[in-house]
Amino acid sequence: MKAEKIRLELGLEKPVNISHITDVHLCLADERDAHLIAHAAERTGVFYEEAGCPPKTPSQFFREAMDYSEENCDLCIITGDVLDFISRSNIDEARDILKDKNYIFTAGNHEFCPRVGVPDSFARRFDVYSDIQSVFKGNMFFDSRVLGGVNLVTIDNSYYNYSALQIGLLEKELDKGLPIILFSHVPLTDPILELKYHHKDLVPDEYMMELNRRMLALVEASKLIKAEFSGHWHCRGEKTLFGRVKEFITPGLFKGEFTHIEIV
């Protein structure tokens, strides 16, 4: 397992250490969801191949990464796709691994997936949202935690869109006057796309697209927002947005990789 270390210099009095975990993709099913057992085996094979035949399962990597975070970090932030699809085995495993752990969670698109390959649906996401929220601590729609003078903010953009409520909540966080690091499942600039290639079953209307533009304009205008961390693409990446906001993509934990962020 590899914890890639990234250092952010914000002028804090003492360092704050955060672990960023994303894209675990638990692929478990048992007789309670008998129709998903073959699907679970198929999906396990997909991630085993994508990860290059790793020596451990996503569950094992998840337990080790959470233990690492407890021992070495002040907080763990998880940006979704802990579940690859909704099954009672996946939910039980996530609950067991995360019990008594110190973390903030925001959802990924797979948290609302009954079976991979079923078309994405805004309506289904709404229907199952409270059930998925009950699996995890905190508020996966929007949450924040102030540690050592830095404001860590999570925003659910798992279906490639932001809401007016999230924009208002972020404005309130900006009013605190502290430097902010954003965390979400999908990289910040992806939601402005028209979903032509990925999640093409989602059809955002013009109102949704306008809200996405408003969110990006807010991030661009505020000098308090220093960096953004996300996952979704299962690879490591880094770029600078708007000439100053650092964007970091963390690989999927099913590959045995996550990020250790040292903020100083």
Side-chain angles (χ1 to χ4, degrees):
M1 190 176 66
K2 179 181 179 182
E4 180 82 11
K5 290 197 174 182
I6 290 175
R7 181 182 174 95
L8 297 179
E9 297 186 2
L10 301 183
L12 303 185
E13 291 185 4
K14 64 177 184 177
V16 171
N17 287 276
I18 306 296
S19 62
H20 175 221
I21 291 172
T22 191
D23 296 89
V24 182
H25 288 285
L26 297 174
C27 300
L28 303 171
D30 59 23
E31 65 281 354
R32 293 173 296 173
D33 296 294
H35 65 292
L36 291 173
I37 292 175
H39 185 61
E42 177 187 1
R43 294 295 293 168
T44 296
V46 167
F47 289 110
Y48 185 75
E49 182 176 350
E50 182 179 345
C53 306
K56 296 178 181 178
T57 66
S59 291
Q60 290 170 326
F61 282 137
F62 197 17
R63 290 183 187 278
E64 290 188 11
M66 293 306 300
D67 287 343
Y68 174 96
S69 181
E70 290 289 302
E71 294 170 5
N72 299 281
C73 299
D74 302 298
L75 179 67
C76 177
I77 300 183
I78 306 170
T79 57
D81 284 4
V82 169
L83 316 179
D84 187 57
F85 53 89
I86 301 170
S87 72
R88 276 163 280 195
S89 293
N90 280 338
I91 287 171
D92 287 349
E93 185 77 347
R95 280 181 169 147
D96 183 62
I97 292 171
L98 292 173
K99 65 184 179 184
D100 303 323
K101 300 299 185 184
N102 182 27
Y103 71 92
I104 299 177
F105 171 83
T106 190
N109 52 294
H110 279 261
E111 261 72 51
F112 311 111
C113 178
R115 180 187 178 97
V116 179
V118 173
D120 293 310
S121 166
F122 287 121
R124 184 181 65 244
R125 176 177 179 266
F126 179 81
D127 288 342
V128 303
Y129 205 91
S130 61
D131 291 336
I132 300 304
Q133 174 65 84
S134 70
V135 179
F136 301 97
K137 292 179 182 177
N139 187 335
M140 68 186 190
F141 179 73
F142 188 101
D143 212 339
S144 68
R145 187 83 60 87
V146 175
L147 289 177
V150 62
N151 194 359
L152 308 165
V153 176
T154 59
I155 304 176
D156 175 9
N157 66 358
S158 56
Y159 266 30
Y160 279 74
N161 66 300
Y162 299 100
S163 73
L165 177 57
Q166 288 172 321
I167 294 170
L169 289 169
L170 181 56
E171 288 173 336
K172 289 183 179 180
E173 294 300 325
L174 288 166
D175 288 342
K176 294 178 181 178
L178 297 172
I180 288 176
I181 301 175
L182 299 177
F183 293 83
S184 57
H185 180 65
V186 179
L188 182 67
T189 50
D190 279 12
I192 205 66
L193 304 178
E194 296 178 0
L195 307 173
K196 291 180 179 177
Y197 307 108
H198 300 277
H199 307 283
K200 58 184 180 294
D201 301 302
L202 297 175
V203 184
D205 57 26
E206 179 53 34
Y207 177 65
M208 289 181 180
M209 297 305 290
E210 175 58 27
L211 289 174
N212 288 348
R213 289 188 285 268
R214 281 176 54 191
M215 176 63 83
L216 289 179
L218 179 61
V219 174
E220 182 177 12
S222 175
K223 294 182 180 180
L224 289 174
I225 298 175
K226 304 298 184 180
E228 185 262 348
F229 286 82
S230 58
H232 191 54
W233 294 118
H234 300 177
C235 63
R236 187 168 295 282
E238 178 180 340
K239 64 180 178 180
T240 301
L241 308 176
F242 315 124
R244 58 170 187 79
V245 179
K246 292 290 187 180
E247 180 174 71
F248 300 93
I249 300 176
T250 293
L253 187 63
F254 70 90
K255 295 181 175 181
E257 297 184 57
F258 63 102
T259 299
H260 180 149
I261 310 163
E262 183 185 30
I263 311 167
V264 297

